[in-house]
Amino acid sequence: MSASGPLIPLIAAHAVSLLGNVVAAVAVPWFVLSTTGSPARTGVIAFFAALPVALGSAVVGGLTDRLGARRMSVIADGLSGVSVAAVPLLYGLGLLSFWLLAAIVFLGALFDGPGQAARQALVPALAQRSGVSLERANSLFTATEHLSYILGAPLAGVLIVSLGAPAALWLDAVTFVVSAVLVLVAVPSVRAALPSARYIRDVVEGLRFAVREHVVLTFLLLTMAGNLIMAALAPVLLPVYAREVAGGAGWLGLMIAGYGAGGLLGTVLFGVLSGRLSRRRLYVVAFLGLPISAGLLVLLPPGPLAAGVLLALGISPGVIVPLRNTVLQERTPFALRGRVFSLLQAAHMAVVPFGLLLTGLLVEALGLRIGLLVFAASLAAFARSEEHTSELQSRFGSS
């Protein structure tokens, strides 16, 4: 792949946008927890941050095939940047109440899903233009997510300690602008045929495809279940862990960075092993690693050991996500990718707000250790399920 390949600026833009999201993911929960002392309120804010990702993907994401994925990415990042900038601005003016913060967080996250789905929809065509295999392109694309954890989480910890959590959100706003400019200037337009004149019909067409295509439906259901369990780790469980066990916001950043480092390692492993091991085997082995690592957190190890455990925990999603994306891209026709990926994003995120809210209430009522125990036990129950492994074995095979 040449350095001038169009895949490079897309990956760079995605990385910059996700870096800001990670900073916000650390700064906002810590701000709420430190000012209110309430895990339940932290869960409420996390709920308002996650719910619009699903709504935005379902309602706005259907425009992706009509406007073009490149244009949707630019619009989504621009609007998200404006919303995020309102938080430190209003805080500086003394006008930021708890419920106003919840409303702004909701609006700021509304376009995250459509923007990420649009960039994901661009990957196959740009990979082909750049001379890169789809597996390698998805490995690189997914690596940006984990790299953003490695860089963004410690950066957020430093900014919180030195400048305060609201000020850290200025960086988040800037990253959205940088991402939008990169896509606008350096990523070529990739348009499918214009969908029908009826927007609802376009959305329903994508939904029907997702339901009829058994592999797409299988991954949809599995990811929804996994997201329901994993959703509360970074925005609810780890801030409480950092405050009660590890020793502050600095350790929160390092623990999230450890999770990101594990994800990056898993993504590299996928890129290396994807042509040597069957996809089914990669998926099953990766998923079985989740409950083992989660169980170690129940022991409440100190900050350095917890960061190591989270590194091990992150390896599994690092393998699973690019594998899943590769299969979905192969199965989805070009003209439907924007709608299908937006609908998948909506379905994946629809369960997340409830996982966040329930975990926040659980930790406030019964304590951190019980919250971590439920987290680990849920992953163990999912990993032991014979239904999802047999479904994958029969439907996406060993290629």
Side-chain angles (χ1 to χ4, degrees):
M1 178 177 61
S2 65
S4 60
L7 187 63
I8 295 297
L10 177 70
I11 290 174
H14 194 59
V16 171
S17 181
L18 290 177
L19 177 69
N21 278 339
V22 171
V23 172
V26 176
V28 173
W30 187 262
F31 172 71
V32 176
L33 188 61
S34 62
T35 55
T36 68
S38 171
R41 284 204 162 197
T42 304
V44 169
I45 290 296
F47 175 91
F48 277 98
L51 180 63
V53 178
L55 292 177
S57 297
V59 178
V60 181
L63 290 172
T64 301
D65 289 320
R66 183 178 298 276
L67 297 176
R70 173 177 172 270
R71 185 179 297 175
M72 175 56 74
S73 177
V74 172
I75 292 172
D77 277 338
L79 292 175
S80 293
V82 171
S83 299
V84 170
V87 175
L89 178 62
L90 291 174
Y91 180 78
L93 296 174
L95 301 174
L96 188 64
S97 67
F98 174 79
W99 291 110
L100 181 56
L101 173 62
I104 293 172
V105 166
F106 182 95
L107 292 174
L110 190 62
F111 290 89
D112 280 352
Q116 292 180 28
R119 289 189 290 274
Q120 183 66 56
L122 286 167
V123 169
L126 297 185
Q128 185 177 21
R129 293 188 187 187
S130 301
V132 180
S133 69
L134 193 53
E135 288 88 351
R136 183 61 55 86
N138 277 306
S139 180
L140 292 171
F141 191 83
T142 306
T144 62
E145 177 181 350
H146 304 296
L147 188 61
S148 68
Y149 282 112
I150 296 172
L151 300 178
L155 176 62
V158 171
L159 290 174
I160 291 170
V161 171
S162 59
L163 301 176
L169 295 175
W170 281 115
L171 176 63
D172 192 18
V174 170
T175 57
F176 281 119
V177 174
V178 172
S179 176
V181 171
L182 272 173
V183 172
L184 184 64
V185 172
V187 174
S189 179
V190 178
R191 289 288 302 267
L194 188 66
S196 68
R198 297 184 180 180
Y199 177 78
I200 299 299
R201 180 181 295 176
D202 296 341
V203 175
V204 171
E205 183 183 4
L207 178 60
R208 284 176 177 170
F209 171 82
V211 172
R212 288 196 308 264
E213 175 58 55
H214 292 271
V215 173
V216 175
L217 182 60
T218 297
F219 273 112
L220 167 65
L221 297 175
L222 293 178
T223 305
M224 287 179 67
N227 281 1
L228 179 63
I229 299 169
M230 293 289 293
L233 178 62
V236 179
L237 291 172
L238 291 186
V240 179
Y241 197 107
R243 187 185 65 170
E244 296 184 2
V245 180
W251 279 110
L252 173 60
L254 290 175
M255 287 190 297
I256 294 178
Y259 182 79
L264 182 60
L265 177 58
T267 302
V268 171
L269 287 174
F270 170 76
V272 171
L273 298 176
S274 59
R276 303 177 185 180
L277 294 179
S278 72
R279 290 175 177 177
R280 175 182 59 82
R281 183 174 299 175
L282 274 175
Y283 180 90
V284 172
V285 172
F287 202 93
L288 289 175
L290 286 171
I292 298 173
S293 301
L296 294 175
L297 287 176
V298 179
L299 302 176
L300 301 182
L305 291 178
V309 171
L310 285 161
L311 186 150
L313 182 66
I315 292 175
S316 294
V319 173
I320 293 168
V321 172
L323 187 157
R324 180 199 66 197
N325 290 343
T326 298
V327 174
L328 293 177
Q329 289 161 354
E330 290 173 345
R331 295 278 180 162
T332 305
F334 177 70
L336 290 174
R337 280 180 187 151
R339 280 164 284 173
V340 169
F341 278 113
S342 294
L343 288 169
L344 289 169
Q345 181 81 0
H348 296 169
M349 294 303 298
V351 298
V352 169
F354 304 100
L356 296 172
L357 194 60
L358 291 173
T359 302
L361 294 172
L362 176 67
V363 172
E364 177 144 314
L366 300 177
L368 175 62
R369 191 187 293 272
I370 296 298
L372 289 170
L373 182 61
V374 171
F375 173 69
S378 299
L379 286 175
F382 190 26
R384 288 175 62 87
S385 171
E386 294 294 333
E387 295 180 0
H388 77 275
T389 53
S390 62
E391 185 76 7
L392 286 174
Q393 288 174 12
S394 63
R395 289 189 172 175
F396 83 85
S398 60
S399 60

